[in-house]
Structures are given as C-alpha cells and as structure tokens.
C-alpha cells in the first residue's frame, strides 16, 4: 500500500477570517463546520465530493512560525498557468502577501512553477503547475524556489 495525503489540517487564530480566505479567495467549498466547547473547526473540499482537502482548527494563539518544526508550506496544484494567474489576481485583490513578484519557476530551467504567498495567519502557500512557467524568473539560483520563502 502506498500512502497519499488525505487532507491537511491547519491551526488558525480566527476561523471566520481564514474561511473568508480559503473559501472566497481560493474557492474551497465548506463541507462542514463545528464547535467543541469554545473551539471551532471547518472541513473544506473542492466541491466535487465530500472528501476534505483542508481542515481549519481555531486553536492557534499566534501566527505561523517558520522557525518551528512542522509544516514548511502547503502546495496546491492548478490545471494551467492561466489558472495560476487568475489566483494571483484574486490574491492581490484580497491583499495577500507574496514571497515573489508574479509567477516564478521552481528552479533554473524548469517548466514547472507558480505563485508563493501567505494566508491570513502567515502560513506559506504555493499554487503551481508542472508546465507553463518555462519563461518565468527563478528567484533562487542554487535551491528550489519553494525551499526558502
């Protein structure tokens, strides 16, 4: 048996704010929301079925800490470079913080690439495609673009 990612769970500081980001900006469907004592949560999917892709748990006391062990970044796959650019425009309109300007290649000479940005709690996110970024710049000459943003 080969393991695959079932879903990713993120701790967030404000579920309403995070839902607005992941639902309204990135387009995830809310599958279910709940509350246990004073802790809230939401399961998000792609809208095609009831399989969760992402769960948000309102239990963090502060923003994402890149210096702590755990999640480095969360990468989403898009179906085309045009779709990546559409996400980029939606994220800019939202006011998201980007690690790089525009679409960048994953490494020098790579056809793959995408956009790198942060959610409302500072969690590092990526939306990329396997091809279409051949002419995009490479921010890091000696390391993968996704490695140190």
């Amino acid at each position: 048996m080969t393991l695959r990612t079932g879903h990713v769970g993120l701790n967030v500081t404000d579920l309403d704010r995070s839902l607005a980001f992941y639902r309204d900006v990135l387009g995830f469907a809310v599958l279910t929301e709940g509350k246990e004592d004073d802790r809230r949560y939401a399961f998000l999917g792609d809208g095609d079925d009831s399989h969760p892709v992402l769960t948000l748990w309102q239990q963090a006391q502060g923003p994402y800490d890149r210096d702590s062990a755990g999640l480095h970044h969360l990468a989403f796959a898009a179906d085309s470079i045009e779709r990546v650019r559409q996400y980029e425009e939606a994220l800019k309109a939202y006011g998201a913080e980007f690690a790089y300007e525009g679409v960048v290649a994953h490494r020098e000479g790579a056809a793959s690439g995408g956009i790198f940005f942060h959610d409302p709690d500072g969690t590092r996110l990526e939306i990329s495609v396997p091809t279409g970024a051949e002419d995009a710049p490479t921010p890091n000459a000696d390391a993968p673009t996704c490695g140190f943003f």
Side-chain angles (χ1 to χ4, degrees), residues 19 22-24 27-33 41-47:
L19 275 175
Y22 285 98
R23 180 193 59 224
D24 302 341
F28 284 100
V30 178
L31 303 177
T32 188
E33 289 184 65
Y41 63 90
F43 285 64
L44 308 178
D46 62 11

Side-chain angles (χ1 to χ4, degrees), residues 60-83:
Q61 301 302 311
Y64 174 80
D65 181 0
R66 66 181 270 168
D67 296 324
S68 295
L71 180 72
H72 179 275
H73 75 283
L74 176 57
F76 297 110
D79 57 4
S80 69
I81 197 70
E82 291 78 18
R83 188 67 179 118

Side-chain angles (χ1 to χ4, degrees), residues 84-93 98 101-103 115:
V84 172
R85 286 185 179 24
Q86 290 172 346
Y87 280 115
E88 178 186 14
E89 290 306 313
L91 288 159
K92 284 181 178 178
F98 285 81
E101 182 63 36
V103 172
I115 54 174

Side-chain angles (χ1 to χ4, degrees), residues 10 28 54 70-71 99 103 119 124 143 146 148-149:
L10 297 177
F28 284 100
L54 187 64
L71 180 72
V103 172
D119 81 355
R124 298 182 293 190
C146 62
F148 298 104
F149 75 98

